[in-house]
């Protein structure tokens, strides 16, 4: 009888262990762009497919595009914190002031290559920004390709923007616009097409990559890009609800961890930047005007306007007991040094 009880006990333990190993987890992934856009189709859903495959189907990622779970893009971070969504992707600038250190990569004319900047962003996040994101588990940090102007009237010099109402994607972009005499209008990307078509705005700051999704080149005919360092870049994060992560068995957590971090971040930034070329090609095919500001003109006509933004940002960081100048120097050093030519095999 004792042998039978022992055998039955061992069998029960094996069944319990087997059930634990076979545990299935369903995670919802929420973001603000249509499912066919570059970020969801070529980054977020590639990540989700990889997670599902490596887990042998034990993790299922349900994908919700265009704010299908409700709310506004500005609410995505709080949805991840509160558990409304298990995973979200968002532009950090949609919640200005909450994650101040990330703005070092949104300063005008600081980023030249999205892969190098995404590498530097993760490196600095991992070293000194984690405290700002304590309420979530960060899976990836990256920037898009070069931001530029898309306007109803041509823009060649800063004075051309005077009096225009321009959509700005972040706090620092809005500061840049103000210094040119433009009126910044804050709104998430999905609101841009209607605002352009109704004349609510005269233009927008966007990377080429997203212009196809929202048909910008069909709504306005002028585009102004910059050689060398970009006019601006936005920072993005993909984050997970802490409780959703903690509830997963260790082996499934390991799959999330293995597909998060530096390699994924560089992949995401590289993918977004690579998608700029098709968006630009559409504007060319439509016969739109594309003005390219060379590096010399950028340095002489545009950079003096934005220098005060750096000084103000450093002062803002000092008020938070952060060394903003050291962060600028580190970001530049990483992008020119160990992160230059960053590649990903994600």
């Amino acid at each position: 009888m004792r042998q039978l009880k022992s055998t039955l006990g061992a069998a029960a333990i094996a069944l319990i262990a087997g059930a634990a190993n076979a545990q299935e987890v369903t995670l919802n992934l929420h973001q603000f762009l249509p499912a066919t856009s570059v970020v969801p189709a070529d980054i977020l859903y590639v990540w989700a497919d990889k997670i599902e495959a490596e887990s042998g189907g034990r993790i299922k990622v349900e994908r919700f595009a265009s704010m299908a779970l409700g709310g506004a893009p500005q609410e995505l971070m709080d949805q991840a914190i509160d558990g409304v969504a298990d995973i979200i992707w968002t532009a950090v600038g949609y919640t200005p002031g909450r994650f101040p250190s990330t703005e070092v990569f949104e300063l005008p004319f600081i980023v030249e290559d999205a892969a190098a900047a995404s590498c530097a962003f993760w490196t600095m996040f991992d070293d000194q920004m984690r405290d700002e994101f304590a309420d979530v588990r960060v899976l990836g940090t990256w920037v898009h390709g070069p931001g530029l102007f898309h306007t109803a009237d041509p823009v060649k010099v800063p004075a051309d923007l005077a009096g225009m109402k321009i959509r700005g994607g972040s706090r620092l972009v809005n500061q840049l616009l103000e210094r040119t005499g433009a009126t910044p209008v804050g709104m998430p990307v999905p609101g841009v097409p209607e605002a352009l078509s109704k004349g609510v705005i005269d233009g927008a700051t966007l990377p080429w990559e997203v212009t196809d999704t929202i048909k910008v080149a069909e709504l306005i005919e002028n585009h102004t890009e910059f050689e060398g360092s970009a006019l601006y870049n936005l920072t993005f994060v993909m984050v997970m609800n802490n409780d959703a992560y903690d509830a997963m068995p260790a082996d499934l957590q390991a799959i999330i961890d293995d597909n998060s971090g530096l390699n994924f971040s560089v992949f995401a930034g590289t993918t977004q930047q690579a998608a700029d070329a098709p968006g630009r090609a559409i504007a060319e095919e439509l016969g739109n005007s594309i003005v390219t500001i060379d590096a010399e003109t950028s340095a002489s006509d545009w950079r003096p306007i934005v220098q005060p933004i750096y000084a103000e940002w450093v002062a803002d960081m000092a008020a938070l007991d952060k060394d903003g100048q050291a962060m600028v120097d580190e970001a530049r050093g990483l992008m020119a040094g160990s992160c230059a030519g960053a590649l990903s095999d994600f």
Side-chain angles (χ1 to χ4, degrees):
M1 180 64 74
R2 183 175 297 171
Q3 170 108 25
L4 178 59
K5 286 183 178 179
S6 177
T7 302
L8 288 173
I13 290 171
L15 284 171
I16 293 170
N21 289 335
Q23 180 177 343
E24 293 185 358
V25 175
T26 299
L27 303 171
N28 58 47
L29 168 58
H30 199 203
Q31 53 86 26
F32 59 85
L33 288 176
T36 54
S37 302
V38 169
V39 171
D42 297 340
I43 299 173
L44 308 183
Y45 295 173
V46 170
W47 180 89
D49 289 344
K50 202 162 182 282
I51 293 295
E52 290 180 339
E54 292 184 12
S55 70
R58 290 172 57 208
I59 299 176
K60 177 176 175 55
V61 182
E62 295 186 344
R63 301 113 195 257
F64 295 89
S66 301
M67 302 305 299
L69 290 178
Q74 300 93 322
E75 299 170 12
L76 280 164
M77 185 61 73
D78 284 327
Q79 289 185 354
I81 293 170
D82 297 338
V84 174
D86 299 313
I87 301 170
I88 64 95
W89 166 75
T90 191
V92 183
Y94 287 174
T95 52
R98 290 179 62 177
F99 309 100
S101 296
T102 65
E103 288 185 331
V104 68
F105 294 101
E106 295 187 346
L107 288 162
F109 299 110
I110 197 170
V111 171
E112 186 167 346
D113 176 68
S118 299
C119 167
F121 186 5
W122 179 268
T123 301
M124 291 180 67
F125 159 76
D126 199 29
D127 179 55
Q128 59 189 275
M129 299 181 191
R130 284 190 177 274
D131 61 321
E132 295 180 12
F133 290 90
D135 292 332
V136 290
R137 186 173 191 84
V138 177
L139 307 178
T141 63
W142 66 90
V143 305
H144 61 47
L148 61 148
F149 294 116
H150 308 270
T151 50
D153 296 321
V155 171
K156 297 181 179 179
V157 296
D160 290 335
L161 287 160
M164 287 192 188
K165 294 172 290 189
I166 306 292
R167 178 265 178 182
S170 72
R171 187 178 77 92
L172 297 184
V173 173
N174 289 343
Q175 288 183 15
L176 182 157
L177 291 169
E178 287 174 346
R179 291 187 174 278
T180 67
T183 299
V185 180
M187 68 176 64
V189 166
V192 170
E194 183 177 4
L196 285 172
S197 64
K198 292 185 175 180
V200 174
I201 56 176
D202 303 305
T205 54
L206 297 163
W208 280 116
E209 159 256 316
V210 78
T211 57
D212 179 25
T213 297
I214 58 176
K215 309 302 180 187
V216 167
E218 298 174 16
L219 294 167
I220 50 177
E221 299 178 354
N222 298 282
H223 315 271
T224 303
E225 59 188 11
F226 294 76
E227 286 184 348
S229 298
L231 173 71
Y232 81 96
N233 296 75
L234 293 189
T235 56
F236 300 98
V237 292
M238 183 174 173
V239 308
M240 184 172 183
N241 173 266
N242 281 329
D243 291 338
Y245 177 86
D246 291 341
M248 298 174 68
D251 63 325
L252 296 187
Q253 288 179 342
I255 292 171
I256 298 291
D257 295 344
D258 290 346
N259 289 285
S260 303
L262 179 62
N263 198 31
F264 172 57
S265 299
V266 173
F267 161 76
T270 302
T271 301
Q272 276 200 255
Q273 183 166 272
D276 285 338
R280 190 181 193 279
I282 290 171
E284 289 180 317
E285 291 167 6
L286 290 171
N288 289 5
S289 170
I290 301 176
V291 173
T292 301
I293 307 296
D294 62 42
E296 183 178 350
T297 303
S298 174
S300 63
D301 293 356
W302 290 86
R303 296 200 185 201
I305 289 176
V306 306
Q307 284 311 306
I309 296 175
Y310 278 73
E312 291 173 8
W313 187 78
V314 169
D316 289 343
M317 293 301 103
L320 298 171
D321 294 324
K322 296 176 182 288
D323 189 338
Q325 188 58 55
M327 293 170 66
V328 170
D329 294 342
E330 182 176 359
R332 284 177 168 156
L334 286 167
M335 289 186 287
S338 61
C339 285
L343 299 172
S344 172
D345 60 358
F346 183 81

